[in-house]
Amino acid sequence: MDFCSIASGSSGNCIFAGSDETAILIDAGISCKRIAEGLAGIGRSLSDLTGILITHEHSDHISGLGVLSRKVQIPIYATAATIRQIMRYTPIGKVDPSLFRVIKADTPFTIGDMRAEAFHISHDAADPVAYRIEQGGKAAAVATDMGCYDDYTISHLKDLDVALVESNHDVNMLEVGPYPYPLKRRIMSEKGHLSNEAAGHLLTQILSPRMQAVYLGHLSQNNNYDALAYATVTTEIDADRDCEVRSHDLPIMVADRSHPMELVTV
């Protein structure tokens, strides 16, 4: 299975996962042009795509969906509530309703030779989900935009080969930063986003010798920066005596918000 973060951050998100037969995107929150450029960088094209999985309806996850769906008319997978919100979101233009495929959390479905499963996350959207994808005995997951996690979340993130996990903000930067108080409360709420510390704690629950690569994703442009996210997360991992993996045992990378990352094959 191939895995690549084309873009991940508060300004836009798009993740690629594929095999020899299948190529999918998780979210389309950047322009179609940038998606095409990102795919070209890993030897793929828009015409290779076989499906798009949408986590939720916020603009940084669907802003490119309208143009993309009109260029390549491929199935768009999302929960029923998310689809309703997408159809009401006029800035992306018309999306052909026949392209939508309704999915349900905890009910696996197939796209080509890949098996996908959505699972519930805690965020201020209609019915937000994260995704776990399996192919050829390998497993990957993309889990961002969640204000908290629990045993249910962890159960879906066990036994992975590659993961992209949210590391959105540094709590201190957010608290002293310029955001208005209600927005700060929203971000730090259980319907908001995971902090660097929370991301580190989550990783201590899901890391295993099987894991080949970890991306820290969906970083805030104003309340975080790459070196801080990395340092905080790795410190949390290495401080947990029960975690069977140390931070130096595998690549832990901060996903770039503007440029595609190097392709990982697991």
Side-chain angles (χ1 to χ4, degrees):
M1 182 194 299
D2 292 333
F3 188 91
C4 179
S5 172
I6 296 175
S8 182
S10 55
S11 56
N13 298 272
C14 183
I15 312 300
F16 170 86
S19 67
D20 291 341
E21 300 177 19
T22 308
I24 65 174
L25 296 179
I26 300 175
D27 289 330
I30 57 175
S31 71
C32 185
K33 178 182 178 182
R34 285 181 60 196
I35 293 173
E37 291 171 348
L39 290 171
I42 57 173
R44 303 276 188 153
S45 68
L46 294 178
S47 61
D48 295 329
L49 294 175
T50 48
I52 308 169
L53 313 183
I54 300 298
T55 60
H56 64 292
E57 71 276 10
H58 289 168
S59 63
D60 58 325
H61 296 263
I62 66 166
S63 63
L65 183 62
V67 173
L68 179 62
S69 69
R70 293 188 288 275
K71 281 185 175 291
V72 286
Q73 296 203 342
I74 56 175
I76 303 167
Y77 299 83
T79 65
T82 296
I83 291 171
R84 287 194 294 270
Q85 294 301 316
I86 292 172
M87 295 299 289
R88 295 169 181 163
Y89 188 68
T90 57
I92 64 173
K94 181 176 175 57
V95 179
D96 184 350
S98 69
L99 298 178
F100 286 109
R101 305 289 186 272
V102 177
I103 61 165
K104 295 181 179 179
D106 304 312
T107 303
F109 57 98
T110 58
I111 306 175
D113 64 346
M114 304 185 82
R115 176 184 184 273
E117 183 176 359
F119 56 97
H120 294 295
I121 53 175
S122 181
H123 193 54
D124 58 350
D127 187 13
V129 295
Y131 286 99
R132 181 186 178 102
I133 302 162
E134 299 179 3
Q135 189 275 330
K138 303 297 184 180
V142 176
T144 67
D145 296 77
M146 48 186 182
C148 62
Y149 65 89
D150 55 18
D151 289 343
Y152 165 85
T153 318
I154 292 168
S155 70
H156 286 82
L157 297 175
K158 289 281 193 180
D159 301 318
L160 294 172
D161 296 280
V162 58
L164 189 148
V165 174
E166 177 171 54
S167 188
N168 177 257
H169 61 275
D170 173 77
V171 173
N172 291 331
M173 284 186 69
L174 178 59
E175 287 179 337
V176 303
Y179 282 6
Y181 181 78
L183 179 55
K184 292 179 181 182
R185 293 299 98 194
R186 172 201 170 250
I187 292 170
M188 289 191 284
S189 76
E190 292 190 351
K191 295 289 187 179
H193 295 276
L194 287 187
S195 68
N196 295 334
E197 291 87 351
H201 289 154
L202 174 57
L203 284 167
T204 66
Q205 304 299 307
I206 67 171
L207 285 177
S208 73
R210 172 176 173 172
M211 191 83 81
Q212 298 181 42
V214 170
Y215 291 94
L216 306 180
H218 210 289
L219 269 68
S220 167
Q221 191 166 359
N222 297 307
N223 302 300
N224 211 353
Y225 57 92
D226 292 8
L228 179 58
Y230 177 85
T232 306
V233 167
T234 55
T235 296
E236 294 292 340
I237 292 169
D238 293 335
D240 190 318
R241 295 181 180 180
D242 294 326
C243 183
E244 55 185 326
V245 174
R246 302 292 93 183
S247 65
H248 56 74
D249 291 334
L250 77 166
I252 298 177
M253 302 165 282
V254 178
D256 196 287
R257 68 171 51 86
S258 302
H259 301 96
M261 301 291 288
E262 183 176 349
L263 182 74
V264 171
T265 300
V266 295

